[in-house]
Amino acid sequence: MSKMKNNLTYDYIIIGSGAGLIVADAALEKGKRVAIIEQDRFGGTCLNYGCIPSKMLTYPADIIQQAKHARKIGVNFSRPSVDLHNIMGRIKELQSKSKIMAESYAKLPGCEVLIGQAKIIAANQVKVFAGDKERILHGHNIIIATGAKPNIPAFPGNELALHYRSFFEHLPNKPYPRLVILGAGTISCEFAHFFSTLNTKVTIVGRSGTILKSEDGDVQTAIIQCMRVAGVSFLLTHRFDKIEQSENEKVVHLTNTTSNESIKIPCDEVIISAGVKSTAPELLDPAVGVELDRNNYIVTDKNMATSIPGIYAIGDINGHHMFRHTANQEAKILVDYLFEQKQSIINYQAVPHAVFTTPQIAGVGQTEEQVKKSGIPYKRGMLHYRDVAYGWAMGYGDDDDGGFVKVLTDQNNRILGAHAIGYQAAALIQPFVYLMNTGDGSLTPLLSSQPIHPSINELAAWAAESLILIGGKN
């Protein structure tokens, strides 16, 4: 293996070009010498394979579903014509920004961009492999922001399936007639939403008995019902056995873990969406001594520092929460610590999330099941879209409640969690996120504020006003 150009010492070596670029920008503004190492497309998972391209699929599906719902309010559309070439072309255009970003950073004074695989071999040394070449970089600080990678369960024929990265690397030019999705989490549900809207026969396969198992139980029940209406089928107590390829189709072999019955599902494509796993084992030489947790994620403190001085980790790689907004916030905390000598904090009890299905799902904090398990008395407020004026205007009523907002607090109205399913659920949950990160985290500011009437905001406000004490005394 040949060597790349002369070794240099950097103030900051940043591995990963997603949220890591926030730290790179701050370092460059301070006049520091920076190396950015990326083994894949510049911009990270969010830009290329995750948050943004997936929403370029789900948003067109949302529009089609809204057109169907419009019949309830007296507006009728002819059957929509979907231009899949246009949809996929927009994603490819987005992904093309990756190269532009890499080139623009490479031109910045004090910044070097290296495309290759990184290996941390010492507390201040990173080896970079690029094809048949290698290079050792020396750095005063190393920032790990490599994200996570798809978890591919080991079973025969798993190489015949796609996963979220390979799907976005090889975008289809026409809808699959039949699609089996192995896994029942967020990515699975968003893929199912898109393809079922295109009249693909979609089957979601899982083992836990439900979908989106980290969601509030009422949300799980509601989304399963809605997705079944949309044509999605579920097999939720089944083990993946193998995938076989015949001349014209793929065949997924499953076993019902309750009855031990074996079944076969013929299909045109299979997507494995069984979560993610850490990239730390291939990134870190064990001799460096960076502490990992039992799932091989990097252990960090409140400043994003690892067990080794000068090495930091942000985003999915530290295993806290697998969201780009969390990675961004961790990057900002690290920037404050490194460059402003300021101690900022992140409240991991108030990390929001959303699932972009129809209806949309969002939540923050504890589910009602988690609150019940804690054994404390709590208050619950819950209101449906049909219960507010704007919900009536949108056509929700007795036959379709449109979803709901649920608020959970302790006896002093401190927010424990908030959950929503329905139109613009993410926007409705965001005020609770702000409140949980402000002062004592109570509902008081919301309860003393005026929601615009008639607007969908009344749903969140009135849900908060409808609190009922559970398991205690008023």
Side-chain angles (χ1 to χ4, degrees):
M1 181 176 285
S2 60
K3 302 287 185 180
M4 287 190 262
K5 65 181 185 180
N6 293 335
N7 301 330
L8 297 170
T9 298
Y10 299 86
D11 296 303
Y12 293 90
I13 299 173
I14 297 169
I15 308 173
S17 62
L21 294 182
I22 295 173
V23 185
D25 290 343
L28 291 167
E29 286 178 5
K30 295 291 185 179
K32 305 298 183 181
R33 183 170 181 82
V34 174
I36 303 171
I37 306 169
E38 175 57 66
Q39 71 170 1
D40 199 358
R41 292 175 174 172
F42 217 77
T45 298
C46 183
L47 175 68
N48 295 289
Y49 314 110
C51 321
I52 304 174
S54 64
K55 302 315 159 291
M56 297 171 80
L57 298 179
T58 60
Y59 184 68
D62 292 344
I63 296 297
I64 294 172
Q65 295 293 350
Q66 289 170 21
K68 291 179 179 178
H69 177 78
R71 292 192 295 267
K72 292 189 174 183
I73 57 172
V75 179
N76 295 291
F77 295 92
S78 59
R79 185 170 179 171
S81 174
V82 178
D83 185 347
L84 194 64
H85 178 75
N86 181 289
I87 293 172
M88 299 307 176
R90 293 181 65 234
I91 293 174
K92 291 176 182 177
E93 182 181 0
L94 170 76
Q95 292 171 333
S96 70
K97 298 181 186 299
S98 172
K99 183 178 179 181
I100 297 171
M101 287 176 62
E103 291 173 346
S104 65
Y105 271 90
K107 294 176 182 177
L108 294 175
C111 183
E112 184 174 0
V113 172
L114 298 94
I115 305 301
Q117 185 171 352
K119 182 87 170 183
I120 299 175
I121 57 174
N124 61 351
Q125 293 182 14
V126 179
K127 183 179 286 188
V128 183
F129 302 90
D132 63 346
K133 298 180 180 180
E134 69 174 44
R135 176 177 167 191
I136 294 177
L137 277 60
H138 299 264
H140 300 302
N141 299 276
I142 299 171
I143 316 300
I144 305 171
T146 53
K149 64 180 181 180
N151 177 45
I152 309 299
F155 60 85
N158 64 4
E159 74 281 357
L160 297 172
L162 298 172
H163 50 75
Y164 70 87
R165 291 177 71 96
S166 59
F167 172 87
F168 284 109
E169 288 172 339
H170 307 286
L171 294 166
N173 54 23
K174 60 182 180 180
Y176 312 122
R178 300 164 299 173
L179 172 65
V180 174
I181 304 175
L182 303 181
T186 297
I187 296 170
S188 301
C189 289
E190 292 185 352
F191 272 132
H193 169 42
F194 174 69
F195 281 107
S196 65
T197 303
L198 301 185
N199 296 316
T200 296
K201 178 178 173 55
V202 178
T203 302
I204 289 180
V205 180
R207 300 184 63 173
S208 68
T210 188
I211 65 174
L212 300 171
K213 62 182 180 181
S214 63
E215 295 292 341
D216 185 89
D218 288 328
V219 171
Q220 291 176 25
T221 300
I223 191 60
I224 288 175
Q225 292 174 347
C226 291
M227 293 183 75
R228 279 185 172 138
V229 170
V232 178
S233 299
F234 297 95
L235 295 170
L236 298 178
T237 55
H238 290 72
R239 181 182 70 238
F240 320 147
D241 290 333
K242 64 180 177 179
I243 304 172
E244 291 182 327
Q245 176 77 61
S246 66
E247 184 177 350
N248 298 314
E249 63 185 13
K250 297 177 182 179
V251 180
V252 179
H253 295 252
L254 307 169
T255 297
N256 187 316
T257 56
T258 302
S259 67
N260 212 33
E261 176 188 4
S262 297
I263 65 171
K264 300 177 183 179
I265 308 177
C267 61
D268 301 284
E269 191 53 89
V270 184
I271 297 177
I272 295 177
S273 180
V276 296
K277 62 181 182 180
S278 173
T279 57
E282 55 259 45
L283 175 68
L284 295 164
D285 188 316
V288 178
V290 174
E291 182 183 358
L292 305 180
D293 67 16
R294 62 180 183 177
N295 294 314
N296 285 326
Y297 290 100
I298 296 174
V299 176
T300 56
D301 67 12
K302 62 185 178 182
N303 298 315
M304 306 301 133
T306 71
S307 58
I308 301 301
I311 301 180
Y312 304 86
I314 59 172
D316 296 0
I317 191 68
N318 66 27
H320 290 304
H321 289 277
M322 306 295 171
F323 306 122
R324 176 60 187 261
H325 47 269
T326 304
N328 288 347
Q329 190 67 18
E330 290 175 343
K332 292 175 184 177
I333 286 171
L334 182 54
V335 165
D336 285 344
Y337 176 70
L338 293 174
F339 304 112
E340 305 299 333
Q341 290 73 54
K342 185 169 71 173
Q343 178 68 68
S344 300
I345 59 171
I346 183 169
N347 181 1
Y348 286 114
Q349 307 306 312
V351 174
H353 68 274
V355 185
F356 290 84
T357 48
T358 291
Q360 195 177 99
I361 294 167
V364 62
Q366 298 179 66
T367 65
E368 187 165 4
E369 290 73 25
Q370 290 171 326
V371 175
K372 284 180 179 178
K373 189 174 181 179
S374 72
I376 66 168
Y378 67 96
K379 294 180 181 181
R380 178 184 64 211
M382 187 168 172
L383 208 68
H384 292 83
Y385 281 67
R386 68 184 177 200
D387 298 324
V388 298
Y390 202 80
W392 307 338
M394 294 175 70
Y396 296 117
D398 292 338
D399 63 329
D400 180 4
D401 62 27
F404 60 82
V405 171
K406 177 194 282 192
V407 185
L408 305 166
T409 74
D410 66 13
Q411 294 186 88
N412 297 315
N413 287 346
R414 185 178 64 86
I415 302 167
L416 302 174
H419 307 276
I421 177 170
Y423 175 76
Q424 291 295 320
L428 290 173
I429 288 299
Q430 192 63 44
F432 297 103
V433 181
Y434 297 143
L435 290 171
M436 291 176 75
N437 283 282
T438 304
D440 62 357
S442 82
L443 279 175
T444 301
L446 181 63
L447 296 174
S448 60
S449 301
Q450 303 173 52
I452 297 171
H453 176 80
S455 76
I456 205 66
N457 297 296
E458 289 179 314
L459 181 57
W462 292 357
E465 290 179 2
S466 67
L467 293 172
I468 298 174
L469 187 64
I470 309 292
K473 296 180 181 180
N474 280 309

